[in-house]
């Protein structure tokens, strides 16, 4: 099942994608796609709905962030072997954990306004895992049962703010538009193996990143279990799980106004964002 939020910014409504790829209006069944809708029993009720019985949302509708009420955006750094190699850094012995401010959230096709003061705005295609059930001290074998679904994410990063201004990474990770999510929230039953997803980035139609989640240093189940040792993960928390090689930092290339940025995760959908 693919869940969306559609409509003008600040006026999004819940939706579902039918088998033809059309957005259908879910407003008659729920008021929002938020943390309370991620419980297994709530998702099961939505999955029982035939999308063809729902009204069409319109072919030109804007898609927003697929989930509202996101409490925490947790990032994992250096979690792909080839990405660590391109940065010249050793593989971490334990996951590198950082946060992004929720003010960075944006829709999958919204413009990315380059903020003043950065000249090194970078892309990072990632698989985002969405927590559906509270997770505290969970075993790795049970960890994925706490995941409601997955989304395509772009961990946009101002590298100069992140690496040249001291302090923690969150400063370079949190500008407005620095975390496009979507286009859909794909429920976990449609992603039987999160270790075999292809991740790609194109800038102005030129491929920059092309990898698979099989290259993760710490796979999805390990990450959920690991994080739950230190914090109580709550429904609606989102974990960005790392990026493959090909980021601008490794190439000495950064986004400029007018660039068209496309990121995609196989089965989770494609984003298309214009830098302004």
């Amino acid at each position: 099942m693919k869940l969306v939020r559609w409509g003008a910014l600040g006026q999004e409504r819940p939706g579902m994608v039918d088998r033809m790829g059309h957005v259908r209006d879910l407003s008659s069944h729920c008021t929002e796609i938020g943390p309370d809708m991620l419980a297994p029993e709530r998702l099961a009720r939505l999955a029982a709905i035939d999308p063809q019985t729902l009204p069409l949302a319109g072919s030109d509708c804007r898609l927003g962030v697929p989930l509202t009420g996101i409490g925490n955006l947790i990032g994992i750094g250096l979690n792909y072997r080839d990405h660590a190699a391109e940065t010249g850094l050793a593989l971490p012995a334990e996951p590198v954990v950082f946060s992004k401010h929720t003010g960075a959230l944006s829709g999958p096709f919204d413009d990315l306004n380059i903020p003043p003061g950065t000249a090194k705005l970078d892309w990072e295609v990632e698989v985002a895992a969405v927590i559906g059930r509270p997770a505290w001290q969970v075993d790795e074998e049970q960890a994925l049962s706490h995941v409601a679904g997955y989304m395509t994410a772009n961990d946009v990063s101002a590298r100069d703010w992140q690496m040249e201004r001291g302090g923690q990474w969150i400063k370079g990770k949190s500008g407005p538009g620095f975390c496009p999510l979507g286009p859909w929230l794909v429920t976990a039953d449609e992603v039987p193996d999160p270790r075999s997803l292809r991740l790609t980035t194109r800038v102005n139609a030129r491929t920059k990143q092309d990898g698979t989640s099989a290259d993760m240093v710490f796979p999805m189940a390990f990450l959920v279990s690991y994080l739950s040792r230190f914090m109580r993960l709550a429904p609606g928390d989102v974990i960005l799980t790392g990026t493959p090689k090909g980021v601008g930092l490794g190439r000495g290339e950064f986004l400029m106004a007018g660039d068209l940025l496309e990121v995609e995760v196989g089965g989770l959908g494609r984003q298309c964002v214009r830098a302004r």
Side-chain angles (χ1 to χ4, degrees):
M1 181 170 55
K2 296 180 176 68
L3 299 174
V4 300
R5 295 173 64 249
W6 62 278
L9 182 65
Q11 302 177 39
E12 293 91 346
R13 303 172 68 175
M16 176 186 292
V17 179
D18 66 22
R19 59 179 175 269
M20 300 299 293
H22 301 137
V23 175
R24 300 279 179 162
D25 186 0
L26 262 177
S27 298
S28 60
H29 294 270
C30 63
T31 57
E32 262 291 14
I33 304 296
D36 61 327
M37 295 301 300
L38 301 178
E41 62 274 13
R42 300 293 295 274
L43 289 178
R45 289 194 204 112
L46 293 182
I49 300 169
D50 180 359
Q52 305 304 121
T53 65
L54 301 172
L56 286 166
S59 59
D60 59 348
C61 65
R62 170 189 172 271
L63 295 183
V65 179
L67 176 70
T68 191
I70 294 172
N72 293 286
L73 279 171
I74 304 167
I76 305 296
L78 297 175
N79 196 35
Y80 280 67
R81 294 174 179 84
D82 57 5
H83 175 52
E86 76 174 339
T87 62
L89 297 172
L91 293 179
E94 295 193 30
V96 176
V97 182
F98 63 90
S99 292
K100 290 175 78 80
H101 193 282
T102 54
L105 292 166
S106 63
F109 306 107
D110 293 342
D111 286 346
L112 171 60
N113 293 308
I114 301 176
T118 178
K120 297 181 179 179
L121 201 61
D122 204 350
W123 54 83
E124 294 189 52
V125 60
E126 309 207 6
V127 179
V130 181
I131 298 298
R133 295 194 297 128
W136 169 243
Q137 301 277 313
V138 299
D139 294 333
E140 188 172 349
E141 293 75 17
Q142 300 299 319
L144 292 187
S145 69
H146 293 261
V147 174
Y150 302 92
M151 297 182 287
T152 298
N154 187 0
D155 177 21
V156 178
S157 304
R159 298 299 190 185
D160 38 7
W161 293 356
Q162 176 191 357
M163 306 175 74
E164 301 168 16
R165 298 296 300 272
Q168 298 186 352
W169 286 5
I170 189 171
K171 290 194 300 189
K173 300 280 188 174
S174 298
F178 280 25
C179 192
L181 292 178
W184 321 301
L185 193 168
V186 182
T187 51
D189 59 294
E190 292 199 11
V191 188
D193 186 5
R195 299 169 299 177
S196 61
L197 302 174
R198 185 181 180 191
L199 299 88
T200 57
T201 295
R202 292 177 293 277
V203 179
N204 299 325
R206 293 176 180 267
T207 299
K208 303 296 184 181
Q209 293 183 276
D210 190 355
T212 76
S213 56
D215 193 47
M216 283 185 179
V217 179
F218 305 105
M220 197 77 65
F222 180 90
L223 290 175
V224 173
S225 175
Y226 179 86
L227 292 171
S228 81
R229 303 294 169 187
F230 305 98
M231 60 194 80
R232 184 181 185 273
L233 299 171
D237 285 349
V238 174
I239 305 168
L240 277 61
T241 57
T243 196
K245 73 174 182 180
V247 299
L249 179 66
R251 297 169 173 267
E253 303 173 4
F254 299 102
L255 291 171
M256 300 179 65
D259 285 345
L260 186 65
L261 176 61
E262 300 172 90
V263 304
E264 184 172 5
V265 178
L268 304 185
R270 180 182 68 94
Q271 303 178 359
C272 187
V273 169
R274 179 76 69 178
R276 301 292 186 187

